[in-house]
């Protein structure tokens, strides 16, 4: 037997072992990692107690602090406090498992990080932090799972979403990340779009448009006997809001999740440049697993088991 034949025989003999190693390696790379989060509960504006925010422990430099999971934010890391001094920002690495982002923070934020306590978030993790992979949020088990790449590819039940990016007309910068726009189905008024916002944990549908508000809850929505008035703090200002049951049939895309209540805050400063019906919070998914596949632009709702 020639040397080349012997070498070919060794390669052929070792092929199954090499292939198995490759498959194991690929499987380990694609395996989802799971992290526990915890709900912050409370009452806003005198309303009944609900989940208010999802907080998850994150490594920030050499500290571990809570941060809020907020798909209403397009960026990666958004600090909840900024420094008023002129001192330069310092670089920081924020890490959740294998997900990592490099950012900067001023002295005020650094001080908050140094003194952070459980239940008091120092910032938020927005869409850009997760957009290289697939995130599954199990509201019941209080778990967030992440895997790189498209986790819903080929799933026939998953639905598409738009990943919208916008900036002010006079902006000299390009925004990072995007906003998740999902379809809302209304039997009486056709389709519209909602902005999926896990940061608005207590909300079902926060309507942004007065026309849609009147369509969904009736023309006497501001003064009706079944309307509840309350106030919320938005960026340091008290904003008056209204809560009422929907009279129109509203469901989320093709998933059998109905919107029973909607709220409207006329003075809310958030006004996206694209026409959306409102903000879809986490309340409709309180018994579900919400999966967001960023690379595939797909989303899925399943029952938590």
């Amino acid at each position: 037997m020639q040397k080349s034949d012997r070498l070919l025989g060794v390669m052929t003999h070792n092929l199954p072992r090499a292939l198995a190693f490759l498959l194991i390696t690929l499987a380990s790379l694609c395996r989802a990692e799971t992290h526990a989060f915890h709900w912050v509960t409370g009452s806003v504006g005198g309303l009944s107690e609900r989940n208010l925010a999802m907080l998850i422990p994150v490594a920030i430099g050499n500290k571990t602090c809570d941060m809020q999971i907020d798909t209403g934010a397009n960026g990666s890391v958004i600090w909840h406090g900024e420094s008023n001094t002129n001192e330069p920002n310092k670089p920081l690495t924020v890490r959740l498992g294998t997900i990592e982002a490099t950012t900067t923070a001023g002295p005020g934020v650094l001080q908050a990080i140094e003194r952070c306590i459980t239940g008091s978030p120092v910032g938020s993790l927005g869409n850009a932090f997760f957009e290289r992979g697939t995130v599954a949020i199990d509201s019941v088990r209080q778990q967030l799972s992440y895997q790189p790449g498209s986790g819903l590819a080929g799933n026939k039940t998953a639905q598409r979403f738009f990943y919208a990016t916008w900036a002010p007309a006079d902006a000299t910068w390009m925004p990072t990340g995007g906003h998740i726009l999902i379809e809302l189905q209304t039997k009486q008024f056709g389709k519209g779009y909602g902005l999926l916002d896990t940061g608005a944990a207590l909300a079902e549908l926060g309507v942004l448009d007065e026309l849609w508000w009147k369509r969904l809850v009736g023309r006497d929505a501001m003064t009706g006997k079944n309307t509840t008035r309350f106030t919320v703090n938005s960026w340091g200002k008290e904003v008056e809001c209204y809560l009422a049951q929907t009279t129109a049939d509203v469901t989320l895309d093709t998933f059998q999740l109905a919107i029973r209540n909607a709220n409207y805050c006329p003075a809310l400063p958030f006004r996206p440049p694209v026409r959306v019906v409102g903000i879809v919070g986490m309340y409709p998914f309180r018994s579900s697993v919400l999966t967001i596949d960023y690379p595939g632009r797909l989303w899925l709702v399943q029952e938590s088991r």
Side-chain angles (χ1 to χ4, degrees), residues 29-234:
L29 289 174
C30 296
R31 186 182 300 123
E33 57 189 76
T34 300
H35 307 278
F37 68 81
H38 54 277
W39 287 109
V40 172
T41 60
S43 175
V44 174
L47 300 178
S48 60
E49 185 171 290
R50 285 189 178 184
N51 294 326
L52 300 180
M54 289 184 289
L55 304 187
I56 193 164
V58 176
I60 308 174
N62 60 358
K63 294 282 292 184
T64 298
C65 299
D66 278 351
M67 296 192 75
Q68 185 175 1
I69 304 166
D70 187 1
T71 63
N74 62 288
S76 179
V77 177
I78 303 93
W79 301 120
H80 287 186
E82 295 292 348
S83 172
N84 294 322
T85 70
N86 294 321
E87 297 180 48
N89 288 356
K90 294 184 178 180
L92 269 183
T93 298
V94 177
R95 185 181 299 107
L96 175 63
T98 61
I99 320 170
E100 186 175 295
T102 301
T103 185
T104 61
V109 173
L110 292 173
Q111 188 176 65
I113 293 170
E114 191 63 31
R115 298 177 178 178
C116 72
I117 58 174
T118 300
S120 181
V122 296
S124 295
L125 302 176
N127 287 317
F129 188 78
F130 300 106
E131 67 181 4
R132 294 184 179 180
T134 300
V135 174
I137 300 171
D138 188 330
S139 296
V140 178
R141 294 180 178 273
Q142 298 184 52
Q143 291 179 340
L144 179 146
S145 300
Y146 174 85
Q147 69 178 77
S150 177
L152 293 178
N155 189 309
K156 295 182 180 180
T157 309
Q159 299 298 312
R160 299 202 66 82
F161 66 79
F162 291 104
Y163 199 46
T165 301
W166 58 72
D170 57 350
T172 58
W173 44 270
M174 287 296 293
T176 58
H179 296 278
I180 300 169
L181 301 184
I182 60 176
E183 278 194 2
L184 300 179
Q185 307 274 1
T186 63
K187 184 177 180 180
Q188 294 88 341
F189 306 106
K191 295 180 181 179
Y193 289 95
L195 190 152
L196 184 58
D197 183 2
T198 60
L202 65 85
E204 285 189 61
L205 178 63
V207 181
L208 298 175
D209 184 295
E210 185 176 357
L211 173 61
W212 272 103
W213 167 248
K214 291 180 178 179
R215 283 177 172 177
L216 298 182
V217 302
R219 300 197 65 82
D220 63 342
M222 302 293 195
T223 57
K225 63 179 181 179
N226 295 321
T227 299
T228 301
R229 296 174 63 179
F230 64 100
T231 59
V232 296
N233 187 287
S234 176

Side-chain angles (χ1 to χ4, degrees), residues 203-209 261-265 268 276-281:
E204 285 189 61
L205 178 63
V207 181
L208 298 175
D209 184 295
N261 297 279
N263 62 272
Y264 178 51
C265 307
L268 192 71
V276 297
V277 175
I279 294 171
V280 179

